[in-house]
Amino acid sequence: AILIGRQNDAFWSLNGDGSVRWHYQRPEQLTIRSSAALTSDGAIVVGADDGFLYSLDATGAENWRIDLAGGPAGFASPAIASDGTIYMGTQSNGLFAINPAGAVRWRFPDVAGISGAPAIAADGTIWSAEHGPSGGDELNRMSISGGAPIVITRFIPFENDMSYDSADWILYAQPDGIYRVPPKIGRAHV
């Protein structure tokens, strides 16, 4: 299936030939600007500009939706950890950890302006990009302690989504090239 969110419209699932499988639409206009994520049981999780995170089943029926404290959630894509925790950043209300049933585990308000998917390392460290308090873009490295996040480091002016390579380094794209960040700290251009 091909999953597509559209501005001022709905969320669509298409077959490989482009025909419509289903579409999800709310009574109000729904703008989705980011990619969806799939859970291990096949649920589709996607954020929207109305400030909600949505979970849909494989037929497009709503499993649940959760209000992320009114912060637009349509710019960032969700990331799903191996334990099923859904991490979702918002433009103004921080980073959320949500369980697979749609309940908030925690909210970390100290990071905001998140416009890309968080990356989750094998050891559970969460990396997120934000438009930082200094006015520039920052990369944050967080660990979880007692069920709540702790920011370990804020560094590297940066933007866009990120992912991990096989050596657990973070990869991200910038206008001047692709960068590879080691798990500890630093910036190396590749």
Side-chain angles (χ1 to χ4, degrees), residues 9-101:
D9 191 5
F11 189 72
W12 298 79
S13 176
L14 306 177
N15 294 307
D17 65 2
S19 60
V20 175
R21 291 179 64 212
W22 53 261
H23 76 278
Y24 173 81
Q25 192 163 9
R26 302 274 316 151
E28 64 280 357
Q29 291 185 338
L30 187 65
T31 296
I32 298 171
R33 302 172 197 264
S34 62
S35 299
L38 299 176
T39 65
S40 61
D41 66 354
I44 301 155
V45 182
V46 66
D49 280 5
D50 65 355
F52 284 83
L53 181 68
Y54 293 86
S55 172
L56 308 175
D57 71 15
T59 69
E62 185 178 292
N63 293 322
W64 50 261
R65 68 184 173 121
I66 185 168
D67 186 354
L68 300 179
F75 292 98
S77 298
I80 302 175
S82 60
D83 68 356
T85 300
I86 301 160
Y87 293 98
M88 184 67 187
T90 66
Q91 287 292 300
S92 58
N93 291 313
L95 179 70
F96 287 79
I98 299 156
N99 74 19

